[in-house]
Amino acid sequence: MKRNYLAFAISLALASSLPAYGADDEEKQQNEETEMEVIEVRGILSSLKEAQSIKKEADNVVDALVAEDIGKFPDSNVAEAMQRIPGVSVNRLRGEGQSVTVRGLSGDYNVTTLNGRKIASETVGRDFNYDLIAAELIGGIQVNKTQQASLPEGGIGAIINIDTLKPLNVGSKVAGSIEGYYNERAGETDPQASLLISETFNDDELGILISANHTSSFTRFDSHSAQWGWNEWSEAELMPDGDPNVSGRFPSWPNIMVSTDQRERSGGTLALQWRPTPELDINFDALYTKYEIESTGNMISLALFEGTNLDNIQDVQFGADGHTNSITIGEPGNMDSPAIAELLESQNPRDSDAMQVGLNLNYIWDNFNFNVDMAYSEAEDASAAVSWVVVRTAIDTLTVNRDNGEQVPDISFGDTVLDENID
């Protein structure tokens, strides 16, 4: 009993003497804080810490991306940016990321929101084409992999939220970039420019932010393919004096195609924010973006065996690898034994745009949080239908030479094309 009482007395004495020391320490700490120099850390480390903080403080399973700097993402569009998130796979179209799958579930099982509101999609289902939005227009992305009461319903795979920037978070700032990309195959330099202007007024009580982006690119892709498979022939089947023990493989319809894409993407955001008191926050935001693509494909297709009389084959050279080195069909100037060629041109245009405007009022009173949100969103796909132009013609002679040391064979034609008497 004495030990317990003594311990209590000592602790009581210490407790009674602590406030004086505590007051001195508190005053000293306040003086140090007053004199402390503030160093703001920005860049990659800051963005990683902020993304980690979002994951740590969330009540559900969420992965986040935060821009390295204001209006700065290292990728061209939102889909390209999301490929860094675990469990997210990017589906590409003509080399550019367009849509995503989350944990193996396609876009039809995901919900996409902009600033917490569902954004309209140009597609028929729930899938959203993220190449529509330039990465410079956003400030962060959150991929919610599990549900929460405050999130929109319907996201079996994930709920993907895209955040735009707010002026009171950015402060007074002007940022921009001008870049150029050179495509060696196309032989062109394509420009890309972005601009962000943010300003605050009345002691950071009111703010306005405007951002814009424009991207232009021209790409070219050359390909060589074999339509309708490969067939194996012996030399005796193709030439009158051929050796039946020598054989090789031929493509039925060899194709050479040149594909070009002319892409134009333009977009912008507007944000107004008013925070008269720490408890009241009013936000207005708007986004508009447009993406136009002119995709053209020009292909030459050669009918080596389909539609070609085998008697018209003049010469065949086989290689040691079991493939043909060269083949010549038809006699020069003789349209009675023609070779067949097809010229094809395809047009696959895309004309898409999307917009969203929203107004949000958030008020905190005691332990209650009141939130009023209104938004309107629409998207349109004005793309024309895919068109094809096909011209089939007969030529007097055709030679395909693969023994040229290149990946694409040399193709040469005769001088006579499509005699009027040929059906």
Side-chain angles (χ1 to χ4, degrees):
M1 292 295 295
K2 291 182 180 180
R3 181 179 301 175
N4 293 339
Y5 177 80
L6 181 60
F8 175 77
I10 294 174
S11 63
L12 183 61
L14 290 175
S16 62
S17 62
L18 281 177
Y21 293 102
D24 294 340
D25 293 341
E26 183 178 354
E27 182 178 357
K28 183 178 179 181
Q29 183 177 0
Q30 289 178 354
N31 294 333
E32 290 178 353
E33 290 178 354
T34 304
E35 299 173 357
M36 185 178 298
E37 180 183 1
V38 178
I39 300 176
E40 183 180 3
V41 179
R42 308 189 65 175
I44 297 177
L45 181 60
S46 176
S47 65
L48 293 176
K49 286 185 176 180
E50 188 173 347
Q52 186 180 31
S53 178
I54 293 174
K55 296 177 61 175
K56 182 179 179 180
E57 297 176 3
D59 295 328
N60 60 333
V61 179
V62 59
D63 280 298
L65 285 178
V66 179
E68 176 184 331
D69 204 346
I70 300 301
K72 183 179 179 182
F73 256 103
D75 304 287
S76 59
N77 62 54
V78 175
E80 298 281 353
M82 282 195 291
Q83 67 182 346
R84 291 168 170 75
I85 297 178
V88 176
S89 301
V90 177
N91 303 317
R92 299 183 178 275
L93 180 64
R94 301 182 185 93
E96 183 180 23
Q98 184 180 52
S99 59
V100 300
T101 61
V102 182
R103 296 183 296 179
L105 295 174
S106 65
D108 291 331
Y109 298 94
N110 303 325
V111 172
T112 302
T113 61
L114 180 70
N115 295 324
R117 314 177 187 103
K118 287 186 179 180
I119 184 172
S121 173
E122 61 174 306
T123 62
V124 177
R126 291 183 177 180
D127 202 0
F128 187 82
N129 292 332
Y130 296 95
D131 60 350
L132 193 60
I133 303 177
E136 288 85 356
L137 299 180
I138 68 174
I141 306 170
Q142 301 90 44
V143 179
N144 297 274
K145 298 179 180 179
T146 57
Q147 261 293 353
Q148 200 174 20
S150 60
L151 298 175
E153 56 83 24
I156 299 177
I159 298 175
I160 302 171
N161 181 59
I162 304 170
D163 281 332
T164 56
L165 297 167
K166 295 182 179 181
L168 297 187
N169 294 340
V170 175
S172 298
K173 188 177 185 68
V174 177
S177 66
I178 299 177
E179 302 176 7
Y181 294 93
Y182 178 73
N183 187 293
E184 182 178 358
R185 196 62 184 168
E188 292 189 10
T189 301
D190 303 314
Q192 178 174 323
S194 63
L195 176 65
L196 181 143
I197 302 175
S198 177
E199 187 59 70
T200 60
F201 310 92
N202 198 17
D203 296 331
D204 293 339
E205 180 181 305
L206 179 67
I208 180 173
L209 183 146
I210 300 174
S211 66
N213 172 270
H214 178 76
T215 302
S216 177
S217 65
F218 181 79
T219 59
R220 173 178 168 178
F221 176 73
D222 299 345
S223 63
H224 174 236
S225 61
Q227 188 177 1
W228 295 344
W230 293 65
N231 296 315
E232 185 169 349
W233 302 82
S234 67
E235 190 180 52
E237 292 177 297
L238 303 178
M239 301 291 294
D241 300 328
D243 187 351
N245 297 319
V246 177
S247 62
R249 299 176 71 241
F250 297 84
S252 296
W253 284 77
N255 304 322
I256 296 178
M257 187 169 186
V258 177
S259 303
T260 59
D261 280 351
Q262 179 66 52
R263 309 184 185 192
E264 300 281 343
R265 177 171 48 223
S266 301
T269 65
L270 170 65
L272 302 173
Q273 188 176 10
W274 183 39
R275 190 186 295 157
T277 66
E279 294 81 16
L280 179 62
D281 192 4
I282 301 175
N283 288 274
F284 171 83
D285 59 82
L287 175 139
Y288 176 79
T289 181
K290 185 177 182 64
Y291 199 15
E292 296 177 293
I293 303 178
E294 288 290 337
S295 296
T296 304
N298 294 281
M299 181 172 70
I300 180 171
S301 183
L302 310 173
L304 296 187
F305 299 101
E306 298 290 338
T308 299
N309 189 343
L310 297 183
D311 295 336
N312 297 343
I313 298 177
Q314 305 298 316
D315 181 64
V316 177
Q317 298 294 327
F318 292 94
D321 58 354
H323 293 78
T324 176
N325 281 344
S326 66
I327 182 171
T328 300
I329 302 175
E331 295 179 319
N334 181 11
M335 293 303 293
D336 292 331
S337 59
I340 306 298
E342 286 185 348
L343 303 177
L344 299 92
E345 180 180 277
S346 63
Q347 297 285 342
N348 187 13
R350 177 185 174 188
D351 186 359
S352 306
D353 61 6
M355 61 85 64
Q356 178 173 291
V357 293
L359 178 64
N360 180 271
L361 185 151
N362 191 78
Y363 180 68
I364 300 175
W365 178 69
D366 199 11
N367 293 326
F368 297 94
N369 190 347
F370 300 92
N371 188 280
V372 179
D373 191 275
M374 297 178 290
Y376 174 79
S377 179
E378 68 176 25
E380 182 182 7
D381 182 9
S383 305
V386 178
S387 61
W388 288 84
V389 177
V390 182
V391 177
R392 170 174 279 202
T393 184
I395 50 182
D396 59 347
T397 183
L398 163 69
T399 299
V400 181
N401 179 25
R402 298 178 180 276
D403 193 20
N404 58 356
E406 302 291 340
Q407 295 182 352
V408 178
D410 293 331
I411 299 175
S412 57
F413 301 99
D415 298 328
T416 307
V417 177
L418 194 61
D419 186 275
E420 60 182 2
N421 297 320
I422 300 296
D423 293 331

